[in-house]
Amino acid sequence: HQPDNQERFVQRRRRCLGLSIQHINPDGMHRNPAFSHANLIPAGAPTLLVGGQNAVDEHGQIVGEGDLGAQTAQALANLQLCLAAAGATHEQLVQVKIYLAGDIDCGQGRSVDGRVGNRSNPPTVTGLRVHGLAHPDFLVEIEAVAVLL
């Protein structure tokens, strides 16, 4: 894939600062292309903390009530908007936490892997099942950390 202007800017900034994130996948552990086991972030690196994003649109309406796939898509779109507002892309994510409500079948939410983990150095990813989220109709919430190098 050809890097776009944003990706080229990020690569240039990293080279200029002489900083980089170390993606750690120790020998003796399973390697999965969807996530890294650990990330070492250099001191002083600008860090973006993205609070839990869920299936609420720009009008405050819940998108995809009862549909994990639709809610995941909206939560990812909201995450992307937060990243873009800070001048970041999904390539700069170093950690993603995915909260699923109750015993819902997580197969519909697999698009998270392809959207945030489909790259040479993916973020760490944690999936959690919780009793419930902030609103009873929320099925998924996605929280993330990005390093803007």
Side-chain angles (χ1 to χ4, degrees):
H1 111 73
Q2 197 69 16
D4 63 17
N5 287 337
Q6 178 72 22
E7 289 174 285
R8 284 193 289 277
F9 171 77
V10 168
Q11 292 166 356
R12 235 182 356 265
R13 183 169 50 182
R14 285 180 183 163
R15 281 193 302 272
C16 290
L17 293 173
L19 301 173
S20 65
I21 299 165
Q22 290 181 7
H23 298 269
I24 301 170
N25 291 294
D27 290 338
M29 295 184 74
H30 170 70
R31 290 178 189 249
N32 187 312
F35 61 84
S36 293
H37 286 287
N39 290 321
L40 182 59
I41 300 167
T47 304
L48 174 67
L49 305 175
V50 181
Q53 299 302 305
N54 45 48
V56 174
D57 67 15
E58 64 185 309
H59 305 290
Q61 301 300 310
I62 297 174
V63 173
E65 192 171 326
D67 181 345
L68 179 59
Q71 288 201 15
T72 300
Q74 182 65 47
L76 286 169
N78 292 344
L79 172 61
Q80 182 60 44
L81 288 171
C82 291
L83 292 169
T89 71
H90 76 280
E91 289 290 325
Q92 292 161 290
L93 290 171
V94 294
Q95 183 180 59
V96 176
K97 292 182 182 177
I98 305 156
Y99 300 85
L100 294 172
D103 292 330
I104 193 159
D105 175 15
C106 64
Q108 297 174 17
R110 289 275 186 233
S111 63
V112 171
D113 292 345
R115 300 278 282 289
V116 301
N118 188 15
R119 58 186 226 220
S120 60
N121 289 310
T124 62
V125 177
T126 301
L128 302 152
R129 288 191 182 274
V130 296
H131 178 72
L133 295 166
H135 188 285
D137 291 330
F138 290 162
L139 301 176
V140 63
E141 189 163 311
I142 302 171
E143 181 179 70
V145 176
V147 175
L148 290 87
L149 291 178

